[in-house]
Amino acid sequence: MATRTPRKTVGTSSSPWKPAGARAQQREAKRNAVLQTAARLFNERGFHATSLDDIAEQLNVSKPTLYYYVKSKDDILLQCVRTALGMMQAGIAEVRAAGGRAIDQLIACMRIYSRIVTMDFGMCVIRIGEDPLPAPRRKELRRLKAGIDGEFRRLIADGIAEGSLAPCDPKMAAFVLAGALSWIGRWYRPDGGSDPEQIADQAIALLMAGVQQRPPTTAAPVIRKRARARSE
């Protein structure tokens, strides 16, 4: 009886092509690198002063290579801003799903918002914004921003209803809170001496408590007098 030569196991050869899943992951990683680099340059130099050549140079690739991952500079900006707003929406949704008092949810959402505007994508929302984009793209981004604003308004209204926030116009209050937190993205510098968590702590404390000096209460002296009388 003739012996058969064993077949070589499929998949043991060294192929120069990676499996489809690995190729997709690699492509996504490279696309994210393009967006991250572009966002940093947009924030440092400005959108109009940054070219695709500049982005390609930073990544050590040719300009035509970029078109495999993005369509245009407008497309890059859209994806950067969309990424930041998506991060905000996801963070707020997680806070809302966890439940709890409205004021605690509001503070948690403010912390998320503050942290994201110190990141490259978040700073793009604040420093570059939607103005360089064509009208249809601006409309999409405004819709995403409106969703975030709506969440802040609902939390403020709920906080007023539960008695943890002073009566106010939720719309105006949401504009003030988001506007103040957004401005962090204008002046924040990684080498500025304060990390994002410290900045968030101070900003939220100021916004929630204000800066006006409160008159001292009389409750503490009364307590001290009573304690002194008992000791005598």
Side-chain angles (χ1 to χ4, degrees):
M1 183 176 179
T3 57
R4 293 183 178 180
T5 303
R7 287 189 177 183
K8 196 172 184 180
T9 305
V10 176
T12 58
S13 62
S14 178
S15 172
W17 286 273
K18 293 185 178 181
R23 290 199 303 271
Q25 290 179 352
Q26 188 179 57
R27 185 181 187 281
E28 183 63 16
K30 290 179 179 178
R31 187 186 74 88
N32 286 334
V34 171
L35 297 181
Q36 193 81 45
T37 299
R40 178 174 55 80
L41 292 178
F42 290 163
N43 294 328
E44 292 174 356
R45 305 179 183 182
F47 178 74
H48 296 294
T50 302
S51 67
L52 289 178
D53 288 317
D54 294 329
I55 299 170
E57 182 181 0
Q58 289 282 314
L59 292 166
N60 299 316
V61 298
S62 65
K63 180 178 175 181
T65 301
L66 294 182
Y67 289 111
Y68 183 66
Y69 306 100
V70 294
K71 297 176 182 177
S72 63
K73 195 168 79 164
D74 285 352
D75 181 51
I76 293 175
L77 177 59
L78 174 66
Q79 292 189 54
C80 288
V81 175
R82 187 190 283 158
T83 297
L85 295 176
M87 291 166 62
M88 290 178 184
Q89 287 184 318
I92 291 172
E94 186 176 344
V95 168
R96 295 287 271 166
R101 295 194 309 158
I103 186 171
D104 295 329
Q105 291 186 49
L106 177 62
I107 291 173
C109 290
M110 291 170 67
R111 187 173 299 281
I112 289 168
Y113 195 104
S114 174
R115 183 173 67 249
I116 291 174
V117 298
T118 63
M119 300 176 180
D120 287 327
F121 291 140
M123 281 192 280
C124 255
V125 177
I126 309 305
R127 297 185 183 185
I128 311 301
E130 63 196 34
D131 291 341
L133 297 172
R137 299 300 194 185
R138 290 200 300 269
K139 186 176 181 180
E140 176 189 350
L141 295 181
R142 285 170 185 169
R143 177 181 57 79
L144 294 174
K145 289 179 180 179
I148 295 169
D149 175 68
E151 291 293 345
F152 271 83
R153 292 189 199 185
R154 280 189 286 274
L155 284 171
I156 292 169
D158 290 347
I160 295 170
E162 74 182 11
S164 61
L165 294 177
C168 61
D169 178 358
K171 178 180 178 180
M172 177 65 70
F175 282 158
V176 171
L177 293 180
L181 294 175
S182 293
W183 205 251
I184 294 172
R186 289 276 183 184
W187 52 257
Y188 170 74
R189 296 291 182 276
D191 58 353
S194 296
D195 63 39
E197 290 300 321
Q198 292 174 324
I199 291 171
D201 287 342
Q202 294 183 56
I204 292 170
L206 286 170
L207 288 168
M208 298 303 291
V211 295
Q212 184 176 1
Q213 179 72 290
R214 269 70 170 175
T217 61
T218 57
V222 170
I223 293 172
R224 284 197 294 272
K225 286 180 181 178
R226 289 175 180 172
R228 192 182 306 115
R230 284 196 297 270
S231 64
E232 293 171 355

